[in-house]
């Protein structure tokens, strides 16, 4: 018999418990288990008055932001609607059925105010990382570094050439422009004007992906531990290779200072195989550089390359295949290279000259000041550990794919470098929390029973 709902009188009282309506397997249960905001109030205490009306609990705002970044809810207005309707979100945010959800405008006021002034989002990120360390998900032996380009919230049509970019500082300026001009004022050395500058987000870099149109973008730089793919640090930069490489030094030094973690090996792609970077890894930090060497000295036309010449460190000279020396004046060039030259008379009658220097009178070899560190990287590239590191590097690529496809952070919603830093910190925090929930929470009732036995 077909059943029918009867429109009767609604009961006066309900026996309802949010805890009973959130499944044990829900991701937020795992995230709630590993998220500890107990020290957040003490961290923010200097930014609140001791008198007046109580403000919205900052822990509630952080929990709501984590929900938004964990589930790809990009709009804060929509986030408030989802928390209002979704029982699991209410449970995670410690809101009862009758509790009001904060207005979306509260987030922007706190993002650009207390949270940014006190570096609150980095504080939350590091507290989550501390929990990852306590749970044994960070090995500390191998780190991988990489950067991914994220589109800025800037119309590619609304830009001007960098040399023509100018703002009237006497007129009211938007926050991203004020931050950009302040960064220019604080820079230690003037920088070459970029090719194109956005009028709405001038800190974003004009860049182009291979085979696609140019656009304004920032880069999110991840430093991850390869044991479980936990993000140990994140840094926002304009989408510029030099800034991305420099961010590596910042992150490695910061993780060592704050968590006493320094990897044995650092894994990266060719962008991190420059002479200066390799010298920093080997000579200053004592880290094995598991990166391909950025090297253009080898020739592809069949003529003799630098590898055909033997280096004699004691004599500070190269020896050609015929045993003749190539000497240097000892004065490095502007790009920190030493030029080693052969003797004119040695090359004049050499039978290998057509293969060695067919278009010049003598052979020249450029040797980087940090060539010893480059040699270390070349030697490591022949080992099994290096081959394993190349496989481990895929973990950071997977995190970027997860960031863009699952968390939907393929385009920034906020403008300015500081706002990009906030978004990347929240996204990295969400990824680490999801990683802990996936790795450490029981997968099924049978698994949960097995862990209690």
């Amino acid at each position: 018999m077909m059943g029918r709902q009867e429109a009767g009188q609604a009961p006066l009282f309900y026996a309802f418990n949010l805890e009973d309506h959130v499944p044990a397997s829900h991701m937020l249960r795992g995230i709630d288990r590993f998220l500890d905001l107990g020290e957040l109030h003490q961290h923010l205490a200097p930014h609140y008055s001791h008198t007046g009306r109580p403000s919205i609990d900052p822990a509630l705002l952080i929990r709501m932001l984590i929900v938004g970044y964990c589930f790809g809810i990009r709009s804060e207005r929509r986030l408030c609607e989802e928390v209002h309707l979704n029982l699991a979100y209410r449970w995670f945010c410690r809101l009862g059925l009758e509790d009001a959800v904060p207005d979306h405008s509260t987030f922007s006021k706190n993002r650009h105010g207390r949270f940014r002034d006190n570096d609150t989002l980095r504080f939350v990120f590091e507290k989550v990382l501390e929990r990852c360390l306590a749970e044994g998900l960070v090995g500390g032996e191998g780190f991988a570094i990489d950067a991914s380009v994220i589109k800025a919230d800037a119309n590619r049509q609304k830009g001007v050439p960098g040399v023509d970019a100018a703002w009237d500082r006497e007129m009211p300026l938007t926050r991203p422009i004020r931050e950009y001009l302040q960064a220019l004022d604080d820079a230690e050395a003037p920088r070459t004007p970029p090719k194109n500058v956005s009028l709405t987000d001038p800190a974003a870099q004009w860049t182009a992906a291979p085979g696609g149109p140019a656009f304004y973008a920032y880069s999110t730089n991840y430093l991850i531990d390869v044991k479980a793919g936990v993000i140990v640090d994140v840094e926002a930069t304009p989408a510029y290779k030099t800034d991305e490489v420099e961010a590596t030094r910042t992150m490695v030094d910061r993780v060592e200072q704050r968590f006493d973690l320094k990897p044995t090996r650092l894994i990266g792609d060719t962008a991190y195989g420059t002479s200066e970077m390799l010298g920093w890894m080997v000579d200053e930090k004592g880290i094995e550089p598991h990166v391909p060497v950025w090297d253009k000295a080898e020739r592809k036309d069949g003529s003799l390359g630098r590898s055909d010449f033997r280096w004699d460190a004691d004599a500070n000279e190269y020896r050609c295949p015929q045993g003749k020396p190539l000497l240097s004046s000892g004065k490095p060039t502007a790009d920190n290279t030493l030029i080693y030259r052969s003797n004119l008379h040695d090359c004049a009658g050499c039978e290998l000259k057509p293969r060695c220097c067919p278009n010049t009178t003598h052979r020249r070899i450029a040797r980087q000041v940090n060539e010893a560190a480059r040699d270390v990287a070349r030697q490591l590239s022949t080992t099994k550990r290096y081959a394993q590191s190349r496989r481990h590097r895929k973990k950071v690529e997977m995190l970027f794919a997860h960031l863009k496809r699952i968390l939907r952070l393929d385009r920034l919603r906020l403008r300015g470098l500081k706002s990009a830093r906030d978004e990347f910190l929240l996204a990295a925090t969400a990824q680490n929390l999801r990683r802990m929930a996936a790795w450490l929470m029981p997968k099924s009732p049978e698994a949960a029973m097995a862990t209690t036995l």
Side-chain angles (χ1 to χ4, degrees):
M1 183 177 67
M2 182 183 298
R4 291 179 180 272
Q5 282 186 311
E6 299 294 335
Q9 183 179 0
L12 295 177
F13 302 100
Y14 286 92
F16 189 90
N17 186 0
L18 272 177
E19 183 74 27
D20 298 335
H21 291 268
V22 180
S25 59
H26 199 285
M27 182 189 300
L28 284 180
R29 284 200 177 271
I31 292 175
D32 183 69
R33 172 181 171 183
F34 301 110
L35 178 63
D36 183 7
L37 299 178
E39 299 180 20
L40 180 64
H41 297 91
Q42 181 180 356
H43 177 77
L44 285 169
H47 294 268
Y48 285 88
S49 172
H50 296 289
T51 60
R53 293 176 57 191
S55 70
I56 295 175
D57 190 346
L60 168 60
L61 299 179
I62 294 296
R63 284 181 173 272
M64 289 182 65
L65 286 171
I66 288 174
V67 167
Y69 279 83
C70 278
F71 295 96
I73 305 173
R74 304 290 295 122
S75 166
E76 288 166 357
R77 189 185 296 269
R78 179 169 168 251
L79 173 63
C80 292
E81 295 174 356
E82 293 292 332
V83 172
H84 176 72
L85 295 172
N86 192 297
L87 295 180
Y89 296 171
R90 277 186 172 271
W91 171 85
F92 179 77
C93 295
R94 307 293 193 264
L95 291 172
L97 285 178
E98 297 180 352
D99 292 333
V101 177
D103 187 76
H104 63 89
S105 62
T106 307
F107 290 97
S108 59
K109 292 179 182 178
N110 282 274
R111 274 183 187 269
H112 304 147
R114 300 183 184 95
F115 288 177
R116 184 167 295 172
D117 295 340
N118 212 15
D119 213 3
T120 299
L121 299 182
R122 178 161 289 280
F123 172 82
V124 174
F125 169 79
E126 292 183 350
K127 285 298 176 184
V128 172
L129 179 57
E130 286 179 2
R131 186 60 185 267
C132 293
L133 289 165
E135 297 291 341
L137 294 183
V138 178
E141 184 271 335
F143 285 178
I145 179 71
D146 205 355
S148 185
V149 175
I150 307 292
K151 290 182 180 179
D153 184 26
N155 191 329
R156 60 187 301 272
Q157 305 296 335
K158 296 182 179 180
V160 297
V163 294
D164 298 336
W167 289 270
D168 185 357
R169 301 199 181 201
E170 300 300 326
M171 298 294 291
L173 301 174
T174 62
R175 179 184 49 79
I177 294 177
R178 293 198 306 270
E179 292 176 358
Y180 173 72
L181 295 176
Q182 184 63 45
L184 291 181
D185 294 339
D186 295 341
E188 296 181 359
R191 191 170 186 175
T192 304
K195 181 179 179 180
N196 210 313
V197 173
S198 169
L199 295 176
T200 53
D201 191 355
Q205 182 73 30
W206 181 251
T207 186
F215 53 89
Y216 295 104
Y218 290 95
S219 287
T220 177
N221 300 268
Y222 276 6
L223 182 68
I224 73 162
D225 184 88
V226 298
K227 179 180 179 180
V230 170
I231 305 167
V232 295
D233 207 350
V234 57
E235 187 70 17
T237 62
Y240 190 65
K241 283 295 181 185
T242 303
D243 290 339
E244 293 172 2
V245 173
E246 286 300 316
T248 304
R249 306 190 189 200
T250 301
M251 291 189 289
V252 171
D253 289 340
R254 184 162 51 204
V255 171
E256 182 179 6
Q257 177 185 0
R258 299 190 181 183
F259 298 98
D260 195 23
L261 284 176
K262 190 178 80 170
T264 304
R265 56 193 170 108
L266 185 61
I267 308 164
D269 57 22
T270 310
Y272 304 92
T274 61
S275 172
E276 294 78 8
M277 193 67 189
L278 292 173
W280 174 78
M281 289 187 210
V282 175
D283 300 329
E284 293 187 32
K285 305 300 293 185
I287 298 173
E288 291 183 2
H290 287 219
V291 298
V293 178
W294 182 277
D295 194 355
K296 296 184 178 180
E298 296 302 320
R299 301 180 177 181
K300 300 180 180 179
D301 58 358
S303 59
L304 299 179
R306 185 170 59 189
S307 60
D308 296 309
F309 292 74
R310 182 174 58 85
W311 168 249
D312 188 342
D314 296 331
N316 189 27
E317 65 181 20
Y318 279 98
R319 288 278 176 173
C320 75
Q322 299 288 29
K324 302 298 183 180
L326 285 77
L327 304 177
S328 171
S329 64
K331 295 181 179 180
T333 62
D335 58 349
N336 285 330
T337 59
L338 295 171
I339 305 301
Y340 289 78
R341 298 177 175 85
S342 63
N343 188 285
L344 273 170
H345 300 291
D346 292 338
C347 292
C350 180
E351 61 182 10
L352 292 179
K353 187 177 186 302
R355 291 185 55 207
C356 182
C357 49
N359 302 320
T360 58
T361 58
H362 61 286
R363 181 61 185 261
R364 299 169 69 252
I365 293 180
R367 180 180 176 85
Q368 296 284 342
V369 172
N370 296 309
E371 194 66 32
R374 286 155 60 89
D375 289 339
V376 171
R378 292 189 186 99
Q379 183 180 6
L380 287 169
S381 66
T382 63
T383 63
K384 292 183 178 180
R385 278 170 53 81
Y386 181 88
Q388 183 184 39
S389 294
R390 305 320 296 166
R391 294 190 293 271
H392 285 163
R393 200 180 74 84
K394 296 178 182 178
K395 294 184 178 183
V396 68
E397 298 287 355
M398 293 170 62
L399 282 169
F400 288 143
H402 181 269
L403 177 72
K404 295 179 180 181
R405 293 174 63 89
I406 307 301
L407 303 190
R408 301 178 185 175
L409 190 60
D410 56 347
R411 182 186 178 96
L412 293 174
R413 195 180 59 81
L414 306 176
R415 294 172 179 169
L417 182 59
K418 292 182 178 179
S419 294
R421 185 180 300 119
D422 292 346
E423 289 218 60
F424 296 156
L425 276 168
L426 279 167
T429 302
Q431 287 182 295
N432 280 347
L433 286 168
R434 288 175 62 116
R435 180 57 53 95
M436 279 194 287
W439 278 56
L440 302 176
M441 287 295 290
K443 303 292 189 300
S444 63
E446 294 77 9
M449 184 178 295
T451 58
T452 59
L453 296 178

